[in-house]
Amino acid sequence: MELKELGATGVRLPEIGLGTWQYTGGIEPLRKGLSLGAILIDTAEMYGTEGIVGEAVQGQREQVFLATKVSGNHLRYDEVLLAAEESLRRLRTHYIDLYQVHWPDPSVPIRETMRAMETLVETGKIKYIGVSNFYVQNLEEAQACMTRQKIVSNQVKYNLLQRGIEEDMLPYCQRNHITVIAYSPLAKGELTAGRSLRSRRATAALEKIASQSGKTVAQVALNWCTAKADVIAIPKANGLERVTENCQASGWRLSPKQMEELNRTFR
Ligand code: NAP
């Protein structure tokens, strides 16, 4: 499993983590992922999966990097602190590695939210501060409110079919040592289902590159994401086989020619 630095923290994370939105696979697929080096697990207070994640990491908490999120409707100072306590309880841990603001709420001053996030770092409840679904302007505003901590990551939608972040978010993050955590890297399964891609040409290109490289379509789609500097992908899979397949999307690289072909086809 290839590793990438989280922001400028010195912490090295696998380029493939384990997503858990709508996850119903129980503890075994998560443990399988951990055993294959995907030691980053992403959850959120609103997913209803913190409990199963907490159970899966029992006995190996120190080896796992737990990322969770405070919902965008809990961004008042006291609400953030309370949400963190509740996540800690459900995760059955004393600290969260990465605590992310799930989405911005323009009705709450971002200064208030980020002050709570800094308090959580200072009290040892969380190690690092991240955000999610933030535009560049949101990120700049949030960072400007903090004097002592850095935002280390932005979790945003990124896959072959949804490449909007390439315009400004991705280059901004790469310039500012902010890790991009790519969610829905398989476009929620659309890329692998092979039926609803935009065109037959796109499906054919993906399948051709998969067979050329001896990889699966899912592995090609994930490797395309993680080939970008500072990008980590967090696919969600309910079963052991798919978790294994997704973890094996790391440790090799698509060739520059294959990357170019995918970029052109999925423009
Ligand atoms: P995704 O990972 O792009 O796709 C998940 C779908 O792909 C599931 O239907 C899964 O099926 C299928 N799949 C997984 N591996 C596969 C493989 N190797 N071959 C074929 N199909 C495969 O979508 P996502 O769940 O939306 O995103 C991943 C994670 O990102 C989430 O779990 C969550 O942690 C995070 N996320 C964050 C936000 C946010 O606002 N921050 C939003 C969405 C998602 P099975 O599970 O049935 O195997």
Side-chain angles (χ1 to χ4, degrees):
M1 178 70 76
E2 295 286 327
L3 304 178
K4 288 186 174 174
E5 184 176 2
L6 173 68
T9 62
V11 172
R12 293 178 63 75
L13 293 179
E15 65 178 14
I16 302 287
L18 306 170
T20 65
W21 179 53
Q22 298 183 325
Y23 177 74
T24 55
I27 59 174
E28 288 312 324
L30 292 176
R31 288 200 174 153
K32 180 71 185 172
L34 296 177
S35 75
L36 293 172
I39 53 102
L40 158 64
I41 306 184
D42 179 72
T43 180
E45 61 164 327
M46 69 165 281
Y47 292 175
T49 53
E50 288 178 321
I52 194 71
V53 170
E55 207 180 322
V57 307
Q58 285 306 295
Q60 49 181 327
R61 169 68 187 96
E62 298 302 314
Q63 285 74 53
V64 180
F65 189 93
L66 283 182
T68 190
K69 312 182 193 83
V70 51
S71 299
N73 54 343
H74 291 157
L75 298 187
R76 290 281 174 192
Y77 183 85
D78 289 344
E79 292 172 337
V80 175
L81 299 191
L82 182 62
E85 286 299 338
E86 290 180 350
S87 287
L88 286 166
R89 183 178 50 76
R90 285 189 293 267
L91 288 164
R92 296 199 250 163
T93 182
H94 298 302
Y95 66 95
I96 292 161
D97 293 284
L98 177 66
Y99 201 41
Q100 304 156 100
V101 177
H102 205 149
W103 64 89
D105 175 359
S107 73
V108 176
I110 190 69
R111 179 171 300 281
E112 182 172 337
T113 307
M114 301 321 282
R115 196 162 57 82
M117 298 296 271
E118 279 192 313
T119 299
L120 287 169
V121 174
E122 283 151 14
T123 53
K125 309 268 181 188
I126 71 173
K127 287 202 166 161
Y128 300 105
I129 298 172
V131 293
S132 177
N133 299 302
F134 273 40
Y135 292 110
V136 168
Q137 194 190 341
N138 302 126
L139 254 180
E140 285 180 331
E141 282 169 8
Q143 183 58 66
C145 295
M146 294 196 293
T147 50
R148 301 179 298 279
Q149 301 298 329
K150 289 262 179 255
I151 293 170
V152 300
S153 60
N154 189 13
Q155 185 175 132
V156 286
K157 191 186 289 173
Y158 188 45
N159 59 59
L160 274 164
L161 297 173
Q162 289 154 314
R163 299 174 57 190
I165 66 162
E166 289 177 7
E167 212 164 292
D168 63 349
M169 175 56 73
L170 181 57
Y172 177 85
C173 288
Q174 288 169 333
R175 278 196 308 276
N176 289 282
H177 303 293
I178 297 171
T179 298
V180 167
I181 302 182
Y183 76 67
S184 304
L186 299 171
K188 295 195 162 87
E190 199 183 329
L191 279 165
T192 48
R195 50 182 153 72
S196 45
L197 289 183
R198 279 178 203 152
S199 67
R200 260 194 230 139
R201 197 173 132 252
T203 313
L206 204 46
E207 283 171 355
K208 184 187 86 187
I209 289 173
S211 89
Q212 265 176 5
S213 356
K215 306 293 177 191
T216 66
V217 164
Q219 289 170 335
V220 170
L222 294 172
N223 200 274
W224 174 87
C225 286
T226 57
K228 313 287 161 74
D230 303 310
V231 177
I232 282 176
I234 50 166
K236 169 262 178 182
N238 277 333
L240 290 169
E241 257 180 48
R242 284 182 174 180
V243 165
T244 306
E245 178 182 341
N246 294 345
C247 290
Q248 290 168 350
S250 181
W252 54 279
R253 280 284 171 242
L254 289 162
S255 70
K257 195 163 160 251
Q258 291 169 327
M259 286 295 288
E260 196 191 297
E261 184 170 350
L262 288 169
N263 286 335
R264 208 177 339 105
T265 310
F266 290 85
R267 213 191 315 261

